[in-house]
Amino acid sequence: MSDQAPSRAHAALDGELDVSQRLAFEEELRRSPELAAEYERLRALRRTIREHAPREAAPERLRARIEALAGAPPRRAAPRWPALAAGLAAAAALAGYWAGRSGGDPELAALVAGYQRAALSGQPIDVASSDRHTVKPWLAARAPLGALVLDLAEDGFPLVGGRIDIVDARPVPTLVYRRREHLISVTELPLAGAGGGAATLEGYHVVRWRDRERAYVAISDLDASELQAFVADFDKRTPR
Amino acid sequence: MTSETARLRFREVVLPHLDDGYRLAKWLSGAEADAEDIVQDAAMRALAALEGATPLKPRAWWLAVVRNAALTYMARRRPKALRYVADLDEDVAEDAPDPEAALIARDEGERVRRAIASLPSPLRETLVLREIEEFDYRAIAEATEAPIGTVMSRLARARAALAKLLGKAP
């Protein structure tokens, strides 16, 4: 029973095909109506399951017990968009701070260098796909901190793909979105001490923010207000 | 005595994914009260394990701890609810809630929930880790200690069973 070979439609749906397998599969989809129908059924089933599996929070009393176990300080709510906006409003001071110490933050310097190299080489991405279910497992297989991949196409920021950047000798997942001819990189990092803010480094706009689970750095050659709109949309769509 | 290092790691590794752990425990046990006990057990195990090292993939690691705690819990408290003997039995869920219940449920959400609950444990946990927790095949294989081929076949069978129960089969 266990060795029954499931069809490639499952592997395709699950983003487990590599680029050449994926291309072959798409070709086959065009040729075979049966395969296309099966694939569509699988996608419909996934939609049904995900629609009806709401993200549910642990009951407060359980959370309190577990936090006590961890000796955690009283919990503060995750920073939501208003808090972030306030952070951005205070950006001028931060921008001066960062610009004045150009390269003072090695993490940001590494990410901006990654963005620059990617933009200049004409190879901004290692995996090209507008399907987050393809990009996510690709990144997860290569960086210890799996990436949260959000679909922002409706907000006018289609996903282009992803790449791996190296920060402090560790691979980190970077998503690449597009607005017109501009690219926006979003790198996800483990939560560390750093807070949020906006800055300009090497001529690129940089916005840093965080939620309960991770820290984010967005870098783009978009103008600052459009980048902030992107960050607001990203934050809005981040599951809580 | 738990060290401050372990507590610190626990706060970084487990607390951000507490909701996910609770949700997984609920899917695996099918009951809210059980899910709370399972997460509590899992948290104790995690705290002890974090004395030694910090995991590379915190969320996947923590959910695997929850999954193992759920198996132990179910085996102890509700032995009949657990069929985890051999692959031979995988397609027979004598002990799981009646699949027919899924057919007569009032709304679509309830139908889906009951249909998933009626799957035999190995199929159910594989499906939940993939569709709800969005693990890739390798992460599911690691969490359930099964070969990737088995993961793929369980996933295919879980989806076929679900499609049939929900009337979406060809």
Side-chain angles (χ1 to χ4, degrees), chain A residues 28-230:
Chain A
E28 212 174 333
L29 267 188
R30 278 190 290 275
R31 280 204 306 259
S32 160
E34 293 82 15
L35 183 66
E38 189 198 349
Y39 191 56
E40 193 36 56
R41 275 196 300 276
L42 286 173
R43 285 170 43 129
L45 182 64
R46 160 166 295 167
R47 277 197 300 274
T48 304
I49 295 172
R50 291 197 174 155
E51 240 168 70
H52 296 293
R55 290 187 71 88
E56 210 177 346
E60 268 310 312
R61 63 174 180 278
L62 175 65
R63 180 172 285 279
R65 280 211 305 273
I66 304 292
E67 284 178 349
L69 196 64
R75 183 163 55 106
R76 287 193 328 208
R80 307 298 289 246
W81 171 239
L84 175 63
L88 293 176
L94 269 174
Y97 175 65
W98 286 359
R101 305 170 15 131
S102 157
D105 184 330
E107 190 172 279
L108 282 185
L111 288 173
V112 170
Y115 180 94
Q116 251 175 330
R117 179 191 53 76
L120 289 175
S121 69
Q123 291 284 332
I125 44 183
D126 298 328
V127 56
S129 174
S130 58
D131 181 355
R132 63 192 195 93
H133 299 300
T134 302
V135 175
K136 189 185 168 90
W138 191 93
L139 290 171
R142 287 160 183 84
L145 179 82
L148 171 74
V149 183
L150 300 177
D151 184 353
L152 301 176
E154 279 179 29
D155 301 306
F157 300 102
L159 181 66
V160 186
R163 70 167 180 270
I164 296 294
D165 278 320
I166 304 293
V167 170
D168 197 15
R170 281 171 317 163
V172 294
T174 294
L175 305 169
V176 181
Y177 293 86
R178 186 168 57 78
R179 176 130 220 185
R180 301 184 303 274
E181 73 280 22
H182 302 282
L183 295 178
I184 304 152
S185 291
V186 182
T187 304
E188 303 187 7
L189 302 161
L191 272 187
T200 304
L201 256 119
E202 310 282 335
Y204 298 99
H205 295 293
V206 181
V207 177
R208 180 148 68 166
W209 75 103
R210 58 194 294 175
D211 59 22
R212 241 165 64 193
E213 298 188 14
R214 37 186 118 204
Y216 305 85
V217 177
I219 302 175
S220 183
D221 54 352
L222 272 177
D223 68 40
S225 64
E226 273 190 299
L227 182 59
Q228 292 189 0
F230 169 84

Side-chain angles (χ1 to χ4, degrees), chain A residues 2 14 16 56 61 65, chain B residues 26 36 40 87 131 137:
Chain A
S2 317
D14 294 324
E16 300 272 349
E56 210 177 346
R61 63 174 180 278
R65 280 211 305 273
Chain B
K26 206 169 145 183
E36 286 192 43
Q40 177 93 27
D87 277 6
E131 297 294 10
Y137 291 176

Side-chain angles (χ1 to χ4, degrees), chain A residues 1-16 41-42 44-59 61-73 75 132-133 136-138 140-146 149 191-192 212-214 240, chain B residues 2 4 7-8 10-12 14-20 22-23 26-27 32 35-37 39-40 43-44 47 56-59 87 90-91 107-110 112-113 116 127 130-138 149-150 152-153 155-160 162-163 166 168-170:
Chain A
M1 214 45 209
S2 317
D3 56 356
Q4 140 197 345
S7 94
R8 266 154 308 135
H10 289 271
L13 181 78
D14 294 324
E16 300 272 349
R41 275 196 300 276
L42 286 173
L45 182 64
R46 160 166 295 167
R47 277 197 300 274
T48 304
I49 295 172
R50 291 197 174 155
E51 240 168 70
H52 296 293
R55 290 187 71 88
E56 210 177 346
R61 63 174 180 278
L62 175 65
R63 180 172 285 279
R65 280 211 305 273
I66 304 292
E67 284 178 349
L69 196 64
R75 183 163 55 106
R132 63 192 195 93
H133 299 300
K136 189 185 168 90
W138 191 93
R142 287 160 183 84
L145 179 82
V149 183
L191 272 187
R212 241 165 64 193
E213 298 188 14
R214 37 186 118 204
R240 309 289 173 191
Chain B
T2 311
E4 193 43 45
R7 289 206 166 113
L8 186 69
F10 185 89
R11 293 201 286 271
E12 285 171 2
V14 172
L15 291 188
H17 307 296
L18 191 59
D19 291 344
D20 290 347
Y22 173 73
R23 179 175 56 176
K26 206 169 145 183
W27 277 111
E32 282 169 32
E36 286 192 43
D37 287 347
V39 171
Q40 177 93 27
M44 307 286 286
L47 194 55
L56 210 55
K57 301 177 186 168
R59 181 170 176 274
D87 277 6
E90 276 186 10
D91 286 333
D107 60 67
E108 181 78 352
E110 188 62 12
V112 171
R113 204 185 57 70
I116 294 176
L127 183 89
R130 176 66 204 113
E131 297 294 10
I132 297 172
E133 304 304 342
E134 301 194 26
F135 276 32
D136 62 18
Y137 291 176
R138 198 172 61 182
T150 304
M152 292 167 71
S153 121
L155 199 49
R157 281 182 291 149
R159 284 171 173 158
L162 214 52
L166 297 172
K168 293 189 196 303

Side-chain angles (χ1 to χ4, degrees), chain B residues 63-91:
Chain B
L63 292 183
V65 173
V66 170
R67 177 260 181 189
N68 288 334
L71 287 192
T72 314
Y73 182 92
M74 305 287 282
R76 202 171 59 226
R77 291 291 172 81
R78 299 164 48 193
K80 285 197 66 179
L82 190 76
R83 301 277 309 185
Y84 216 93
V85 194
D87 277 6
L88 290 176
D89 286 341
E90 276 186 10
D91 286 333

